[in-house]
Structures are given as C-alpha cells and as structure tokens.
Amino acid sequence: MESSTKIQNAFTVQLPLHYSKIFFFKNMDENSGAKYSYSIVPITANDKQTVANFLKKFFFRDEPLNVAIQLLEEIDSATKLEKYCIGYLKYGMTFMAVSQAGDIMGVILNNIMHRNEEEEEEEDDEDDNCNDNLKFKEIVVLLDKIKKEADVFEQYPNVNRILEIKIVTVNEAYRGQGVCKALVDKTKDYALKMGCQMIYVECTSHFSAKAVERLGFQCIYSLAYTDYVNEQGEMVFKTQSPHRYAKVYVLPL
C-alpha cells in the first residue's frame, strides 16, 4: 500500500466553505488511533478529472469483473469504462467524502430508475456502440442480464421510482472508517427528497455485498459466476476468491 500522503496528494479537491455544513463526520482508526474528519459533498463538474483518477485507482483496478477479464489491459475498454462512470457525474446526484484537507476519501455514483422507462441514454449508447470484441462489452451484457432477471419493478409492483447506486468505492487508506455508510446515508436522504421508494444496487464484489447487507439491504437476486458461461460452456468471468456471485440488493424507504 502506498503512503497515505501520496494517496491524498493525488486526489485533492478545493472544498468550498459552505460544503462543510452538509454532512460532517469524525471517525477514529481503531488500529492506528488516527482521527479522520470529513464532509459528504456533491460532486461538481470541476471535480470530473479528479474523480476519474480516483476511480481508476480504487475502483477500476479492484472490481472483480475487471480483474477477471483483465479489462484494463485493453485500452479501448478502459476508455469506455471511464466514459461510462464519468457520464453519471452530470446528474447532480453523485457525492464524495472529502477530508478537511480536501482529500477525496470515497465516492458514490447514483442514478434514478422509473417504471416503464428505458435505461438512461448513456447506458443505451454504451451498449449499442460498444464493439462486440471489447472486454467492456462482456461486462455490459452481464449487467444487462442481471438487471432484466432481477426485474425489480416486477418484484415490487407498488414501487415506481428507485434510486440506483451505480458505484461506491473508498480510498483503501480510509476503509473501515464508516465512509461507505456515510455516502449511502447521504444517498438515502437524497433518494427520499427525490421521492424514491427504494434504493437498488448490483454487487459484483463479495465485499460490496457484505457492506450493503450490514446497512440493512435485502438480497433479491443472485447469480453464480460459475453458472454464467459462453456458447462453449466456459466461464466468462473467472473471478478470484471470495468473489463468487453477482447479487442485487434493495433497501425499501
């Protein structure tokens, strides 16, 4: 692991004074005794490149599907993945945890789903325009299968508006400090303000699944990676242990 100083210097943002009033937390690292104070603030257009760099370091390299197919070794796929993630920043419903020094500690990217409405345009564009030979396409196809088979609106006929967590990731130097919970709590407050009746998240990682379970989310769908095979009967995603399932979780509001 790189030193926290190097990590912090790579992902520093300018934090307006009024942002410190939004959400403010103090946590202690049980191992080192270090205290961390941070705010949960909206991600703005000015943060685009900094957040993109943060995702490359703490999400792209660790996400089990990316690792399984070595996605980052294919430049075009890595570019598609970055474009896909950054596309969600413009909706005004994404947040980050920022230390008092302005260092990004974690980010959460969200989207809103409506009954009887098609996927967001950006997701459709990725699916339609993505070269079938790209590794990123393999992930798009799997996620589309998961969403269709989970069929959350069919399972919950009285729910019409859902906030979907697309990505949540935390700087490894600050994991275990409640940053993920704080980001989800902020998202929950935003969802209620926007009239959403539920929060939805697809977990391709064992660790993200366990994290949302601790926050009270309920599993409504599960797919073993060993059961997801190509036409030759071969596993498409040979994920490393303990990542054995893709799961869908919901939190009714």
Side-chain angles (χ1 to χ4, degrees), residues 84-111:
Y84 170 84
C85 295
I86 294 303
Y88 286 99
L89 299 186
K90 69 180 183 181
Y91 295 129
M93 59 184 79
T94 59
F95 305 97
M96 59 185 173
V98 183
S99 73
Q100 287 184 305
D103 305 319
I104 298 180
M105 301 169 69
V107 303
I108 189 166
L109 309 184
N110 302 313
N111 183 42

Short mmCIF file of all heavy atoms in Angstrom, two decimals, residues 84-111:
data_model
loop_
_atom_site.label_atom_id
_atom_site.label_comp_id
_atom_site.label_asym_id
_atom_site.label_seq_id
_atom_site.Cartn_x
_atom_site.Cartn_y
_atom_site.Cartn_z
N TYR A 84 -18.25 5.67 -19.19
CA TYR A 84 -19.47 5.18 -18.55
C TYR A 84 -19.61 5.77 -17.14
O TYR A 84 -20.69 6.25 -16.76
CB TYR A 84 -19.42 3.66 -18.49
CG TYR A 84 -20.48 3.00 -17.65
CD1 TYR A 84 -21.74 2.73 -18.17
CD2 TYR A 84 -20.22 2.61 -16.34
CE1 TYR A 84 -22.72 2.11 -17.40
CE2 TYR A 84 -21.18 1.99 -15.57
CZ TYR A 84 -22.43 1.74 -16.10
OH TYR A 84 -23.39 1.13 -15.34
N CYS A 85 -18.53 5.73 -16.38
CA CYS A 85 -18.59 6.23 -14.99
C CYS A 85 -18.76 7.74 -14.94
O CYS A 85 -19.59 8.25 -14.19
CB CYS A 85 -17.31 5.82 -14.25
SG CYS A 85 -17.11 4.04 -14.02
N ILE A 86 -17.96 8.45 -15.72
CA ILE A 86 -18.00 9.90 -15.70
C ILE A 86 -19.34 10.43 -16.18
O ILE A 86 -19.80 11.50 -15.77
CB ILE A 86 -16.86 10.48 -16.56
CG1 ILE A 86 -15.51 10.14 -15.93
CG2 ILE A 86 -17.00 11.98 -16.71
CD1 ILE A 86 -15.35 10.62 -14.51
N GLY A 87 -20.04 9.65 -17.02
CA GLY A 87 -21.34 10.07 -17.51
C GLY A 87 -22.34 10.34 -16.41
O GLY A 87 -23.27 11.14 -16.58
N TYR A 88 -22.17 9.71 -15.27
CA TYR A 88 -23.13 9.88 -14.18
C TYR A 88 -22.88 11.13 -13.34
O TYR A 88 -23.70 11.50 -12.51
CB TYR A 88 -23.13 8.64 -13.28
CG TYR A 88 -23.83 7.48 -13.95
CD1 TYR A 88 -23.09 6.49 -14.59
CD2 TYR A 88 -25.21 7.41 -14.00
CE1 TYR A 88 -23.72 5.44 -15.25
CE2 TYR A 88 -25.86 6.37 -14.66
CZ TYR A 88 -25.10 5.39 -15.28
OH TYR A 88 -25.73 4.37 -15.94
N LEU A 89 -21.77 11.79 -13.55
CA LEU A 89 -21.45 12.96 -12.73
C LEU A 89 -22.37 14.14 -13.04
O LEU A 89 -22.58 15.01 -12.20
CB LEU A 89 -20.00 13.38 -12.94
CG LEU A 89 -18.94 12.34 -12.57
CD1 LEU A 89 -17.55 12.95 -12.70
CD2 LEU A 89 -19.16 11.82 -11.15
N LYS A 90 -22.93 14.19 -14.23
CA LYS A 90 -23.70 15.38 -14.63
C LYS A 90 -25.11 15.40 -14.06
O LYS A 90 -25.80 16.40 -14.17
CB LYS A 90 -23.77 15.46 -16.15
CG LYS A 90 -24.61 14.38 -16.81
CD LYS A 90 -24.60 14.55 -18.32
CE LYS A 90 -25.50 13.52 -19.00
NZ LYS A 90 -25.48 13.67 -20.47
N TYR A 91 -25.55 14.33 -13.45
CA TYR A 91 -26.93 14.27 -12.99
C TYR A 91 -27.17 14.99 -11.66
O TYR A 91 -28.30 15.16 -11.24
CB TYR A 91 -27.38 12.81 -12.87
CG TYR A 91 -27.42 12.09 -14.20
CD1 TYR A 91 -26.79 10.87 -14.36
CD2 TYR A 91 -28.10 12.64 -15.29
CE1 TYR A 91 -26.82 10.21 -15.58
CE2 TYR A 91 -28.13 11.99 -16.51
CZ TYR A 91 -27.49 10.77 -16.65
OH TYR A 91 -27.52 10.12 -17.85
N GLY A 92 -26.11 15.37 -10.97
CA GLY A 92 -26.27 16.10 -9.71
C GLY A 92 -26.68 15.23 -8.55
O GLY A 92 -27.14 15.74 -7.53
N MET A 93 -26.52 13.92 -8.69
CA MET A 93 -26.90 13.02 -7.61
C MET A 93 -25.74 12.13 -7.19
O MET A 93 -25.93 11.04 -6.68
CB MET A 93 -28.11 12.17 -8.03
CG MET A 93 -27.89 11.32 -9.26
SD MET A 93 -29.39 10.43 -9.77
CE MET A 93 -30.29 11.72 -10.63
N THR A 94 -24.52 12.61 -7.41
CA THR A 94 -23.33 11.88 -7.01
C THR A 94 -22.61 12.65 -5.90
O THR A 94 -22.65 13.88 -5.87
CB THR A 94 -22.38 11.69 -8.20
OG1 THR A 94 -22.01 12.98 -8.72
CG2 THR A 94 -23.05 10.90 -9.32
N PHE A 95 -21.96 11.92 -5.01
CA PHE A 95 -21.37 12.54 -3.83
C PHE A 95 -19.98 11.97 -3.55
O PHE A 95 -19.64 10.88 -4.01
CB PHE A 95 -22.27 12.31 -2.60
CG PHE A 95 -23.69 12.77 -2.81
CD1 PHE A 95 -24.68 11.88 -3.19
CD2 PHE A 95 -24.02 14.10 -2.64
CE1 PHE A 95 -25.98 12.29 -3.40
CE2 PHE A 95 -25.33 14.54 -2.85
CZ PHE A 95 -26.31 13.64 -3.23
N MET A 96 -19.22 12.72 -2.76
CA MET A 96 -17.91 12.24 -2.34
C MET A 96 -17.66 12.62 -0.90
O MET A 96 -18.21 13.60 -0.38
CB MET A 96 -16.80 12.82 -3.23
CG MET A 96 -16.71 14.33 -3.28
SD MET A 96 -15.45 14.88 -4.47
CE MET A 96 -15.72 16.66 -4.45
N ALA A 97 -16.83 11.81 -0.25
CA ALA A 97 -16.38 12.10 1.11
C ALA A 97 -15.05 12.82 0.98
O ALA A 97 -14.13 12.33 0.32
CB ALA A 97 -16.22 10.81 1.90
N VAL A 98 -14.96 13.99 1.59
CA VAL A 98 -13.76 14.82 1.47
C VAL A 98 -13.24 15.17 2.85
O VAL A 98 -14.00 15.61 3.72
CB VAL A 98 -14.06 16.11 0.68
CG1 VAL A 98 -12.81 16.94 0.50
CG2 VAL A 98 -14.68 15.78 -0.68
N SER A 99 -11.94 14.97 3.06
CA SER A 99 -11.34 15.30 4.35
C SER A 99 -11.24 16.81 4.52
O SER A 99 -11.43 17.56 3.57
CB SER A 99 -9.93 14.68 4.44
OG SER A 99 -9.03 15.39 3.60
N GLN A 100 -10.91 17.24 5.73
CA GLN A 100 -10.77 18.68 5.97
C GLN A 100 -9.66 19.29 5.13
O GLN A 100 -9.68 20.48 4.84
CB GLN A 100 -10.51 18.92 7.46
CG GLN A 100 -11.74 18.69 8.34
CD GLN A 100 -11.47 19.04 9.79
OE1 GLN A 100 -10.55 18.54 10.40
NE2 GLN A 100 -12.30 19.92 10.34
N ALA A 101 -8.70 18.44 4.71
CA ALA A 101 -7.60 18.92 3.88
C ALA A 101 -7.97 18.94 2.40
O ALA A 101 -7.20 19.39 1.56
CB ALA A 101 -6.37 18.04 4.08
N GLY A 102 -9.19 18.46 2.08
CA GLY A 102 -9.64 18.44 0.70
C GLY A 102 -9.32 17.16 -0.04
O GLY A 102 -9.44 17.10 -1.28
N ASP A 103 -8.93 16.11 0.67
CA ASP A 103 -8.59 14.84 0.04
C ASP A 103 -9.84 13.98 -0.15
O ASP A 103 -10.64 13.83 0.78
CB ASP A 103 -7.59 14.05 0.89
CG ASP A 103 -6.34 14.85 1.20
OD1 ASP A 103 -5.86 15.55 0.30
OD2 ASP A 103 -5.86 14.79 2.36
N ILE A 104 -10.02 13.41 -1.33
CA ILE A 104 -11.16 12.53 -1.58
C ILE A 104 -10.93 11.20 -0.85
O ILE A 104 -9.91 10.55 -1.04
CB ILE A 104 -11.35 12.27 -3.08
CG1 ILE A 104 -11.65 13.58 -3.82
CG2 ILE A 104 -12.49 11.28 -3.30
CD1 ILE A 104 -11.85 13.41 -5.31
N MET A 105 -11.90 10.81 -0.05
CA MET A 105 -11.81 9.56 0.70
C MET A 105 -12.70 8.47 0.09
O MET A 105 -12.45 7.29 0.28
CB MET A 105 -12.21 9.81 2.15
CG MET A 105 -11.33 10.85 2.85
SD MET A 105 -11.98 11.38 4.46
CE MET A 105 -11.75 9.89 5.44
N GLY A 106 -13.75 8.87 -0.62
CA GLY A 106 -14.65 7.91 -1.24
C GLY A 106 -15.64 8.62 -2.13
O GLY A 106 -15.87 9.83 -1.97
N VAL A 107 -16.23 7.89 -3.08
CA VAL A 107 -17.23 8.48 -3.97
C VAL A 107 -18.39 7.51 -4.16
O VAL A 107 -18.22 6.29 -4.02
CB VAL A 107 -16.65 8.85 -5.35
CG1 VAL A 107 -15.48 9.81 -5.23
CG2 VAL A 107 -16.21 7.60 -6.11
N ILE A 108 -19.56 8.05 -4.48
CA ILE A 108 -20.73 7.24 -4.80
C ILE A 108 -21.41 7.86 -6.01
O ILE A 108 -21.65 9.07 -6.04
CB ILE A 108 -21.68 7.12 -3.60
CG1 ILE A 108 -22.78 6.09 -3.86
CG2 ILE A 108 -22.29 8.46 -3.21
CD1 ILE A 108 -23.55 5.68 -2.61
N LEU A 109 -21.66 7.04 -7.03
CA LEU A 109 -22.32 7.49 -8.25
C LEU A 109 -23.71 6.88 -8.31
O LEU A 109 -23.86 5.66 -8.16
CB LEU A 109 -21.52 7.07 -9.49
CG LEU A 109 -20.03 7.42 -9.52
CD1 LEU A 109 -19.43 7.03 -10.86
CD2 LEU A 109 -19.80 8.90 -9.26
N ASN A 110 -24.72 7.70 -8.52
CA ASN A 110 -26.11 7.25 -8.46
C ASN A 110 -26.88 7.59 -9.73
O ASN A 110 -26.46 8.41 -10.55
CB ASN A 110 -26.82 7.91 -7.26
CG ASN A 110 -26.13 7.60 -5.95
OD1 ASN A 110 -25.79 6.47 -5.67
ND2 ASN A 110 -25.91 8.63 -5.14
N ASN A 111 -28.04 6.96 -9.85
CA ASN A 111 -28.92 7.16 -11.00
C ASN A 111 -30.35 6.91 -10.51
O ASN A 111 -30.55 6.25 -9.49
CB ASN A 111 -28.56 6.17 -12.11
CG ASN A 111 -29.38 6.37 -13.35
OD1 ASN A 111 -29.62 7.49 -13.78
ND2 ASN A 111 -29.84 5.28 -13.96
#
